[in-house]
Amino acid sequence: MADGETGELGRIALNRSDLFREQCYINGKWTGDPTIEVRNPATRGVIGRIPNLGKSETETAVAAATAAFPKWKSETAAARAKIMLKWNDLMVAHQEDLARLMTAEQGKPLAEARGEIVYAGSFLQWYGEEAKRVYGDTIPAPAADRRIMVLKQPVGVVGAITPWNFPAAMITRKVGPGIAAGCTIVLKPSELTPYSAFAIAVLAEEAGLPPGVLNIVTGDAEPIGRVLTEDPRIAKFTFTGSTPVGKKLAAQCAGTVKRVSLELGGNAPFLVFDDADLEAAASGAIISKFRNTGQTCVCANRLYVQDGVYDKFATLLAEKAAALAVGDGLVGVTQQGPLINMKALEKVEAHVADAIGHGAKILTGAHRDSHGGTFYQPTVLRDVAPDALLTREETFGPVAGLVRFKSEEDALRLANDSRAGLAAYAFTRELARSWRVSEGLEYGMVGMNTGLISTEVSPFGGVKESGIGREGSKYGLDEFLDLKAVFVQL
């Protein structure tokens, strides 16, 4: 390892050095020649390297998962649960190491990374417990000498692709229910944030997960994705990422008629009505918009504020955004990290420039941060045109653009004017309005008087072009189970 890489790894300061791996995990073995550089987005320094695997190696991983499936599905739910609960305990025990590793590769503030580790572990705990509650049914038969039963059984081998913005939680949200149901997994994490995935695998093995149940491959997305979507040995494919890529992968799955779960892009509206608690609304907007530097699929992307409180809310939000501390998550206390790469920064700058070109006014930010690189100042713009790029596309950055609305009907029309349908938010103290708006918003999730909607006990997913299926909660387990009707003639 070069001196620069030693320095980046030294900055992470792991207590357990074996949590840092530079090889893929296939059939219980660490394998592959590390060639792809992984950089810290805050410093642009090289942390290390990972393997560039392709079609043949991915097929080997699928073969391992296929071979492991019969025995794993036959394990009792209690046996699977015991491993998963220990796995969660290990993640919590090594929270600091996992968080520091995540901050180094993803850039998010260390406090957020610590929170994500606990959140990621919660899916292992929840689904370890839910594994014991996979209940079937008996159905009254149409004749006295017949019986009908409905069984729930694991779908089989699962192919999964996860993104870089939540490199631990997006894995356990898929792997947790899959493994709890009795499935085996072939996972491709983002090449931008692979070390969290490898560290999770280290702890999975330590918890007692058998070889072949969880396999992790990294490398060129095209050949790996082709195997995960087209190999007939894979029964289900699950993906979190952009809508265009999700559409392409879903089409590739059609040839073998796989079960598909997709958690795709969002364009979340955030509605603030005249009767809202403005302090709560502004605080909720900060949580929703600026968490993970705006790089979340459920972050508020379009902020619609009613006439009567528009000016006051704009001032309050700008003050809160301006107070956010920007910096390297491994150096001091920070609340905003860098954007993941230069492409992301350029998109943010293009959206801000377009909004200003259409008449928007800067309340705070709207420029690169003094830290350089891909750091960008938390930004609030007012008087954004309803048709600006900032409202039509998912910005995925720390920019809040405010649009004025007059009536409840106007707000719902603006909010629903999108092909995205993942998350939406609204703030009002009127009970009847809260019900009307919750039911009127065409989204899979609604945060009413809150900016934080992610929890392992609630279903996560969208409608329209934001995806298919749900993750988390008891409904997330069903995504990895097949229904089998059994008819008995007495």
Side-chain angles (χ1 to χ4, degrees):
M1 186 174 290
D3 291 343
E5 295 166 47
T6 304
E8 282 296 328
L9 191 55
R11 290 178 72 249
I12 302 174
L14 297 177
N15 292 308
R16 268 190 64 172
S17 60
D18 66 316
L19 290 175
F20 179 77
R21 300 295 179 104
E22 293 186 282
Q23 291 182 299
C24 292
Y25 187 67
I26 299 175
N27 203 24
K29 297 178 180 178
W30 296 95
T31 184
D33 181 27
T35 58
I36 301 174
E37 290 183 344
V38 180
R39 293 181 178 271
N40 182 331
T43 66
R44 302 313 303 160
V46 177
I47 301 170
R49 290 171 170 77
I50 57 170
N52 185 14
L53 303 188
K55 181 176 183 289
S56 63
E57 296 91 346
T58 307
E59 289 175 339
T60 298
V62 174
T66 302
F69 175 63
K71 185 176 181 180
W72 183 245
K73 76 172 182 178
S74 299
E75 289 283 1
T76 65
R80 293 197 295 268
K82 183 177 179 180
I83 292 172
M84 296 187 69
L85 294 176
K86 184 177 179 181
W87 192 0
N88 169 59
D89 290 343
L90 288 169
M91 288 191 65
V92 173
H94 297 291
Q95 176 189 20
E96 189 65 18
D97 274 356
L98 296 173
R100 294 185 70 84
L101 193 58
M102 182 190 301
T103 292
E105 65 178 353
Q106 200 277 336
K108 66 179 57 181
L110 189 55
E112 286 192 25
R114 291 184 183 119
E116 183 179 337
I117 296 305
V118 175
Y119 178 52
S122 72
F123 288 101
L124 302 177
Q125 181 182 41
W126 170 264
Y127 284 112
E129 295 165 345
E130 283 296 290
K132 297 177 286 185
R133 289 184 278 274
V134 178
Y135 303 135
D137 292 296
T138 59
I139 298 175
D145 61 347
R146 301 193 76 188
R147 300 292 183 270
I148 302 173
M149 298 176 291
V150 178
L151 309 180
K152 290 184 178 181
Q153 297 181 312
V155 297
V157 179
V158 176
I161 297 179
T162 54
W164 51 263
N165 57 338
F166 289 91
M170 296 302 96
I171 290 173
T172 57
R173 205 162 71 184
K174 298 178 185 300
V175 168
I179 288 178
C183 300
T184 55
I185 314 286
V186 179
L187 166 71
K188 181 201 174 297
S190 170
E191 71 282 359
L192 300 175
T193 56
Y195 295 128
S196 291
F198 293 161
I200 288 172
V202 171
L203 298 179
E205 186 176 55
E206 191 172 324
L209 197 68
V213 175
L214 173 63
N215 306 273
I216 301 177
V217 295
T218 61
D220 189 350
E222 175 63 23
I224 293 175
R226 283 284 178 186
V227 175
L228 298 183
T229 55
E230 296 179 355
D231 193 311
R233 293 173 294 180
I234 291 181
K236 174 183 173 63
F237 176 73
T238 174
F239 170 78
T240 296
S242 73
T243 298
V245 174
K247 289 179 178 179
K248 178 182 177 181
L249 294 171
Q252 291 173 191
C253 288
T256 51
V257 198
K258 298 187 194 309
R259 288 186 64 174
V260 175
S261 295
L262 303 172
E263 197 264 281
L264 306 178
N267 187 359
F270 188 101
L271 311 180
V272 181
F273 290 92
D274 282 347
D275 63 344
D277 179 332
L278 294 190
E279 178 63 33
S283 296
I286 290 292
I287 292 171
S288 176
K289 173 71 263 184
F290 295 101
R291 184 165 61 104
N292 200 19
T293 317
Q295 298 173 120
T296 80
C297 54
V298 295
C299 76
N301 200 59
R302 301 170 285 149
L303 282 76
Y304 298 112
V305 186
Q306 199 162 12
D307 278 333
V309 295
Y310 186 91
D311 292 334
K312 187 175 181 180
F313 178 82
T315 299
L316 187 58
L317 181 63
E319 290 173 352
K320 290 181 179 293
L324 294 172
V326 179
D328 183 343
L330 293 178
V331 181
V333 177
T334 61
Q335 296 159 307
Q336 294 282 279
L339 291 161
I340 190 65
N341 54 28
M342 191 57 66
K343 182 179 179 181
L345 175 64
E346 290 170 352
K347 181 179 183 180
V348 167
E349 290 182 322
H351 279 200
V352 170
D354 175 80
I356 294 172
H358 283 80
K361 298 178 180 63
I362 302 169
L363 294 182
T364 188
H367 57 80
R368 297 189 185 192
D369 188 76
S370 59
H371 284 83
T374 58
F375 286 94
Y376 196 83
Q377 276 287 312
T379 298
V380 178
L381 306 175
R382 63 169 292 158
D383 304 330
V384 174
D387 60 348
L389 286 177
L390 203 59
T391 65
R392 308 310 301 175
E393 299 177 3
E394 189 176 26
T395 303
F396 233 60
V399 182
L402 307 185
V403 180
R404 190 186 299 267
F405 74 86
K406 296 183 180 301
S407 66
E408 181 180 316
E409 293 74 17
D410 188 31
L412 285 173
R413 177 184 58 79
L414 289 167
N416 290 333
D417 184 21
S418 173
R419 286 303 305 156
L422 188 57
Y425 306 86
F427 280 76
T428 176
R429 284 183 285 197
E430 183 184 327
L431 179 61
R433 171 179 281 159
S434 70
W435 280 107
R436 290 194 304 268
V437 171
S438 295
E439 294 172 358
L441 286 166
E442 297 168 357
Y443 292 82
M445 298 172 286
V446 175
M448 181 58 63
N449 294 320
T450 180
L452 190 61
I453 59 174
S454 299
T455 170
E456 75 278 10
V457 305
S458 176
F460 189 104
V463 297
K464 297 191 279 191
E465 293 188 12
S466 284
I468 302 170
R470 292 296 182 270
E471 296 181 336
S473 79
K474 65 177 184 179
Y475 303 105
L477 191 60
D478 287 340
E479 299 286 339
F480 295 87
L481 295 165
D482 280 330
L483 295 181
K484 177 185 287 185
V486 179
F487 298 81
V488 180
Q489 180 72 50
L490 302 181

